Amino acid sequence: MPLTILSDSDVRVLLQSLTKQDILDLQQSLADALHYYSTSTEDNSNGCCSSYQPLRTALKRSDGQTTLFMPASSNDGLGVKIVTLSESTEAYAEAAATSSFDSLSLSTSSTPSASSSTAFDIPPDIPPSIASKESTSPKGSLTLLDKSGSPRALVNAEEITAFRTALASTILFKKRTNVHDLVVFGAGKQAYWHIRIALLLRGPEIHHLNIINRSFDNAHNLIEKLYNPSAKPLSFPTLGILTAETTDLARPKISIITSSHTEYARLLKSAIRSSSVIFCTTPSLTPLFPASYLTSTEGRKKGRYIAAIGSYKPHMVELHPDILRQAVAPQHGNHHHKHARQGGAVVVDSVEACLKEAGEIIQAGLGGREVVEIGELLMLKRDAERRRMEDEGRLELDGSGVELGSGKKVKGGDGKHHESDSGLGEWLQRGNVIYKSVGLGLMDVVVGGDLVRLADERGIGTRIENF
């Protein structure tokens, strides 16, 4: 079998060529793997079973760099991703000395009646993050082996890490009823791929895109790359993106919000309150916005989908813990809006990993019964096709992409199956849903394998025969 080698530029060329149907196919493959991860046992002999997925190992050095070793197994073979992330110890020390959750909590409790005009309702700046002084884009490689252990591919991991994370985040996003107002925190690779995939999947329905970032130039460059990925970004105010000849990618009304703006506090609050989807893609050490923006009575008048994927260590956090605590609060009879259903759980990629590594989950004090794996909520492709044939006209299946499960039972973090709300589908499509991910090696192996197959078909990369 030949060995396929994909450089960083090869991966970018391949990813930029993906169509909407390509994205849907990749999502379905990933969704099937995540479903097997959450539901299979060793008795099923399924390669995606969680028992075959070791927790990643972290090696932290004194220079602030952390190297992650992420081995994984899939039904097509094995793989390991090794990536190094830079962390500014100086920035972390500065953040610890100058910031606290109290400065953004808005109140000592998360009661809906908290006033929106109090002094601490105005964040002075975008919170510090470990990216304050240097890039945290992962550097490393993904090695793939076939079922027999023979080398199959060597892939640069920098771009694929951001892509597979966004691919997973947008599985539930695709099913949302309302995606009109999209807010994205950050302007790096994660932000780029979340926006690009969102526009590919639901572009005509996204009316407003608000990018919130410390650097205006970085956000401006991100927009340029979205619509003209092969060109060098132009200097502001010259733009070369908003023409039909440039790209078929949807073009919503785009705004860039930075902390240097004189009305930053007002713009931030307005963007969050009007949002229907929020993507948090920053390695922040403190909440990106005050909790009351969403926990107050006004903030709970609409359902939102929030994906928080930037923080990946216990001391890192993008969402205030009060937001998660409210999300898992027991059901009550009085809802502020018919679309703002509470699901009673935070959706995660892996219960075990998030309980150990996700700052939002840990600092909110959530336990196994308050988180549910996304794989538990998704239907296998073959099951969706069978149900569509058996119950055509009576099921809310859209005929393409990933389908949601029946919602009869879901497995909590305690390992037991619990009866779920009969309105599970309505909650996932219309309610307040938080998705938290710290990343799984399984994602890299599954998505990486699919991308290697596409690269071989399209003649991208380098192949070494008889390796």
Side-chain angles (χ1 to χ4, degrees), residues 28-101:
Q28 183 66 67
S29 177
L30 178 59
D32 284 353
L34 291 173
H35 179 84
Y36 286 131
Y37 171 83
S38 298
T39 61
S40 296
T41 65
E42 291 186 47
D43 295 337
N44 303 131
S45 300
N46 190 291
C48 297
C49 173
S50 60
S51 299
Y52 299 147
Q53 317 300 329
L55 282 178
R56 62 191 185 192
T57 299
L59 174 63
K60 182 163 185 179
R61 301 195 296 269
S62 59
D63 59 3
Q65 292 187 334
T66 299
T67 299
L68 302 177
F69 300 83
M70 304 172 67
S73 163
S74 75
N75 285 323
D76 293 325
L78 307 166
V80 59
K81 186 174 76 170
I82 303 175
V83 291
T84 296
L85 304 98
S86 297
E87 177 171 347
S88 172
T89 53
E90 180 182 351
Y92 174 68
E94 177 184 356
T98 60
S99 303
S100 69
F101 286 121

Side-chain angles (χ1 to χ4, degrees), residues 220-294:
H220 166 260
N221 290 342
L222 182 153
I223 297 170
E224 289 252 14
K225 287 190 293 184
L226 274 172
Y227 293 98
N228 200 356
S230 61
K232 182 178 180 180
L234 299 173
S235 299
F236 182 81
T238 303
L239 297 176
I241 60 174
L242 299 180
T243 63
E245 293 77 15
T246 302
T247 178
D248 292 330
L249 203 63
R251 296 177 293 278
K253 181 179 179 180
I254 301 175
S255 299
I256 298 174
I257 303 175
T258 70
S259 57
S260 60
H261 197 289
T262 55
E263 295 189 73
Y264 170 68
R266 180 186 66 81
L267 293 173
L268 175 64
K269 186 173 184 178
S270 175
I272 296 299
R273 284 283 172 82
S274 64
S275 67
S276 49
V277 178
I278 302 175
F279 291 139
C280 301
T281 70
T282 72
S284 182
L285 299 175
T286 57
L288 296 172
F289 55 88
S292 72
Y293 287 9
L294 298 183

Side-chain angles (χ1 to χ4, degrees), residues 364-382:
L366 304 190
R369 293 185 64 86
E370 297 161 316
V371 292
V372 60
E373 290 177 350
I374 186 173
E376 285 278 341
L377 308 176
L378 304 176
M379 191 187 307
L380 290 175
K381 181 179 180 179
R382 65 164 188 256

Side-chain angles (χ1 to χ4, degrees), residues 120-420:
F120 40 76
D121 200 16
I122 303 176
D125 198 350
I126 294 177
S129 76
I130 66 169
S132 296
K133 292 183 172 58
E134 53 191 288
S135 171
T136 56
S137 295
K139 310 289 186 181
S141 64
L142 170 65
T143 301
L144 298 176
L145 312 174
D146 64 17
K147 291 181 179 180
S148 67
S150 298
R152 174 67 182 90
L154 179 63
V155 184
N156 187 295
E158 185 169 350
E159 202 81 23
I160 198 173
T161 299
F163 174 78
R164 59 81 155 150
T165 304
L167 196 69
S169 296
T170 49
I171 287 177
L172 293 181
F173 161 83
K174 178 188 176 295
K175 297 300 180 182
R176 297 294 295 181
T177 301
N178 178 7
V179 296
H180 297 331
D181 296 276
L182 176 59
V183 172
V184 179
F185 283 92
K189 293 183 183 296
Q190 293 283 7
Y192 175 87
W193 283 111
H194 276 79
I195 295 171
R196 184 171 182 84
I197 293 177
L199 290 176
L200 283 171
L201 293 177
R202 304 287 295 275
E205 301 168 74
I206 300 175
H207 302 159
H208 299 93
L209 168 62
N210 290 301
I211 301 175
I212 303 175
N213 192 60
R214 228 188 243 102
S215 167
F216 179 91
D217 288 341
N218 289 346
H220 166 260
N221 290 342
L222 182 153
I223 297 170
E224 289 252 14
K225 287 190 293 184
L226 274 172
Y227 293 98
N228 200 356
S230 61
K232 182 178 180 180
L234 299 173
S235 299
F236 182 81
T238 303
L239 297 176
I241 60 174
L242 299 180
T243 63
E245 293 77 15
T246 302
T247 178
D248 292 330
L249 203 63
R251 296 177 293 278
K253 181 179 179 180
I254 301 175
S255 299
I256 298 174
I257 303 175
T258 70
S259 57
S260 60
H261 197 289
T262 55
E263 295 189 73
Y264 170 68
R266 180 186 66 81
L267 293 173
L268 175 64
K269 186 173 184 178
S270 175
I272 296 299
R273 284 283 172 82
S274 64
S275 67
S276 49
V277 178
I278 302 175
F279 291 139
C280 301
T281 70
T282 72
S284 182
L285 299 175
T286 57
L288 296 172
F289 55 88
S292 72
Y293 287 9
L294 298 183
T295 60
S296 65
T297 301
E298 183 66 25
R300 298 168 62 197
K301 284 187 175 180
K302 65 186 299 185
R304 294 177 181 84
Y305 175 63
I306 305 174
I309 59 85
S311 60
Y312 55 92
K313 292 185 178 181
H315 70 275
M316 299 164 65
V317 62
E318 295 181 287
L319 300 177
H320 194 288
D322 284 353
I323 297 174
L324 277 73
R325 294 188 188 107
Q326 185 184 79
V328 301
Q331 289 276 6
H332 52 77
N334 299 319
H335 294 289
H336 295 280
H337 191 281
K338 64 180 180 179
H339 290 170
R341 295 181 59 87
Q342 293 186 18
V346 171
V347 183
V348 298
D349 52 353
S350 166
V351 167
E352 184 178 10
C354 283
L355 289 179
K356 292 182 178 180
E357 301 175 358
E360 288 91 349
I361 302 290
I362 295 170
Q363 295 180 34
L366 304 190
R369 293 185 64 86
E370 297 161 316
V371 292
V372 60
E373 290 177 350
I374 186 173
E376 285 278 341
L377 308 176
L378 304 176
M379 191 187 307
L380 290 175
K381 181 179 180 179
R382 65 164 188 256
D383 293 338
E385 292 175 343
R386 184 181 67 250
R387 288 184 57 192
R388 188 177 293 109
M389 293 178 62
E390 294 174 350
D391 302 305
E392 186 174 359
R394 293 189 287 125
L395 289 176
E396 295 182 0
L397 303 179
D398 64 14
S400 66
V402 178
E403 306 292 359
L404 301 177
S406 62
K408 294 181 179 179
K409 285 189 176 183
V410 295
K411 185 175 68 177
D414 55 3
K416 299 179 180 178
H417 283 79
H418 307 281
E419 294 293 334
S420 69

